[in-house]
Amino acid sequence: MSSYWIDSIENYKKYNKIDDNYECDVCIIGGGITGLSCGYYLSKEGLKVIIVEKDYIGQKVSGNSTAKITYQHNLIYDYLLKSYGHNNAKAYLEANKKAITNIKDIIDTENIDCDFEYQPNYVYTTKQEELTKIHAEIQALHNLDEEVEFVTDSSLPFKIAGALKNENQAQFQPVKYMLGLADFITNNNSLIFCNSTASNFDKDKDEYITTVNGYKIKSKYVIVASHYPFKKITRILLCKNVSIYFLCFRN
Ligand SMILES: Cc1cc2nc3c(=O)[nH]c(=O)nc-3n(C[C@H](O)[C@H](O)[C@H](O)COP(=O)(O)OP(=O)(O)OC[C@H]3O[C@@H](n4cnc5c(N)ncnc54)[C@H](O)[C@@H]3O)c2cc1C
């Protein structure tokens, strides 16, 4: 199955294959939304970043998503409150709200044309017997000081029993957004290589050496943003941000 977001881009920008050995501050493995977001923030701080992507920018999970930007991940807050308590549920909510703000800030600051628009998010059911779950989620969000409401109308072309409606969520064209991040990165003393597969990385004294298509990239840090780790790892810092997970290695 193909992706509308990928297929609707004309003149998809393709970066070259790695062609030599390189040195940089941070080597990022994976050019999906995680790797590109890391690359954006780090190159903005003046670090030299190299992103290596085995295919093309954003063509894997990130380019095949539903394109929504929301902190409402199905019915999660009732579960978080009951399982992890108020402080942890609130922390999850605030981190995800901040991520929406961050994406909007990047779009505005860098003038990325990616069809961003605020939209309400609905979690609906067509079954009367499931309404208790919707009401429990609404109550959980009220306990976390969020203004959400129960509705029985939606713009869906079929009848629903009811839904949680959450304002100020958003949608965008994720591939346009990622290509905007890639433009920023390559305009700021950093590089992106496509068709370039990292096969290994090792620490040698104070630096990492990443092997990519047989070439070597020396760096102070490595970020594995390949969605699934491609190498067995022992020391990790795990970061999470709006469905974005990455593994970050540091000295
Ligand atoms: C159907 C679907 C819908 C979704 N909808 C949403 C949504 O609406 N909103 C939301 O926030 N999240 C959504 N998600 C989740 C979200 O899309 C993912 O969490 C996010 O895109 C993951 O981004 P990533 O950069 O980690 O992974 P990816 O986009 O998969 O990027 C990883 C990249 O690493 C590259 N790579 C892998 N191994 C190597 C290697 N050895 N060397 C070099 N490169 C390598 C891959 O080619 C790939 O491009 C959805 C997910 C799915 C599956």
Side-chain angles (χ1 to χ4, degrees), residues 104-114 180:
K104 180 71 168 84
D105 284 351
I106 292 174
I107 290 167
D108 290 345
T109 310
E110 312 310 341
N111 213 7
I112 299 176
D113 174 12
C114 62

Side-chain angles (χ1 to χ4, degrees), residues 18 20-24 26-27 50-52 193 208-212 215-219:
I18 191 164
D20 206 343
N21 299 322
Y22 286 89
E23 290 188 25
C24 61
V26 187
C27 176
I50 295 181
I51 297 181
V52 292
F193 294 114
Y208 285 94
I209 312 233
T210 305
T211 307
V212 183
Y215 293 105
K216 305 283 180 202
I217 299 178
K218 284 186 191 174
S219 61

Side-chain angles (χ1 to χ4, degrees), residues 29-35 52-56 58-70 196-199 225-228 230 242-245:
I29 300 164
I33 197 164
T34 307
V52 292
E53 164 54 50
K54 76 173 177 186
D55 188 4
Y56 290 114
Q59 297 225 336
K60 291 289 167 52
V61 179
S62 303
N64 288 276
S65 80
T66 47
K68 65 186 188 295
I69 311 169
T70 177
S196 302
T197 304
S199 51
S226 55
H227 200 80
Y228 294 106
F230 68 99
V242 186
S243 306
I244 292 174
Y245 301 80

Side-chain angles (χ1 to χ4, degrees), residues 7-20:
D7 294 349
S8 62
I9 303 272
E10 287 174 19
N11 304 321
Y12 197 96
K13 190 166 182 177
K14 297 186 172 168
Y15 293 94
N16 293 336
K17 249 184 184 176
I18 191 164
D19 56 351
D20 206 343

Side-chain angles (χ1 to χ4, degrees), residues 170-181:
Q171 64 187 25
F172 67 168
Q173 213 292 22
V175 177
K176 283 189 185 175
Y177 175 70
M178 287 185 279
L179 291 173
L181 295 180

